[in-house]
Amino acid sequence: MKRASDPLLEEDNKKPKIEEATLTTSGGDVVTVTLQSPNIITQMMDIAEPLSTLKKLLEIRLQCNLEEHEVYLQNTALLDSTKSLLDQGVTAEGSVQFSCQVISTQGVKPRINIVDIVKPIVEPMEVTVDTTPPPPQ
């Protein structure tokens, strides 16, 4: 039975609502921040791992069984959970952040929808270590 108040069941609401906010830092830089709806779960994982690993990590975080859930990419492409995203044509390397929806509603086939995949930005940090001994007192 469909309820209009449930956004996961509405036909025309297949993607999460994502809004952007523009913020100004104390240094005067303007930064755009993406605000996602609360039903998005983010999970870091190596992209070379099979998607069954993503399911297991989400099971631990959500404390539920996701064995029957199929994995979709952006609600359109059914993915093989025994293979990695690399094996299925996604080009990236290393750890990435998966933004997922877990859809477990009566009357809807259970699925994990990968909404977005983001490679974290790692900026090199310069660290200077002073090796001179302190002056004698």
Side-chain angles (χ1 to χ4, degrees):
M1 183 165 153
K2 203 174 182 182
R3 293 188 325 252
S5 63
D6 191 345
L8 293 178
L9 293 178
E10 293 177 19
E11 292 298 323
D12 55 347
N13 190 11
K14 295 194 178 188
K15 291 192 177 183
K17 293 180 181 174
I18 298 177
E19 299 177 16
E20 290 185 346
T22 303
L23 306 172
T24 304
T25 65
S26 59
D29 296 326
V30 176
V31 179
T32 301
V33 179
T34 303
L35 307 171
Q36 295 181 335
S37 63
N39 61 345
I40 300 292
I41 302 160
T42 58
Q43 179 66 52
M44 293 293 292
M45 185 181 92
D46 192 314
I47 198 160
E49 291 286 324
L51 292 172
S52 58
T53 303
L54 176 64
K55 285 172 99 171
K56 289 176 189 169
L57 291 169
L58 292 174
E59 282 180 343
I60 292 167
R61 287 185 61 192
L62 298 173
Q63 298 180 359
C64 65
N65 184 347
L66 301 175
E67 188 175 308
E68 298 298 318
H69 286 62
E70 295 180 329
V71 181
Y72 281 81
L73 181 61
Q74 297 178 337
N75 247 351
T76 55
L78 176 62
L79 300 171
D80 183 346
S81 63
T82 63
K83 295 181 179 178
S84 71
L85 281 177
L86 288 178
D87 296 335
Q88 298 180 70
V90 175
T91 56
E93 62 181 45
S95 289
V96 294
Q97 176 180 298
F98 289 84
S99 295
C100 305
Q101 288 177 303
V102 177
I103 302 169
S104 301
T105 307
Q106 187 174 359
V108 176
K109 188 160 184 137
R111 67 171 56 186
I112 297 169
N113 179 36
I114 300 173
V115 178
D116 199 10
I117 304 164
V118 179
K119 179 76 174 165
I121 298 171
V122 180
E123 296 181 16
M125 221 169 80
E126 190 173 314
V127 178
T128 306
V129 178
D130 185 10
T131 58
T132 57
Q137 292 182 352

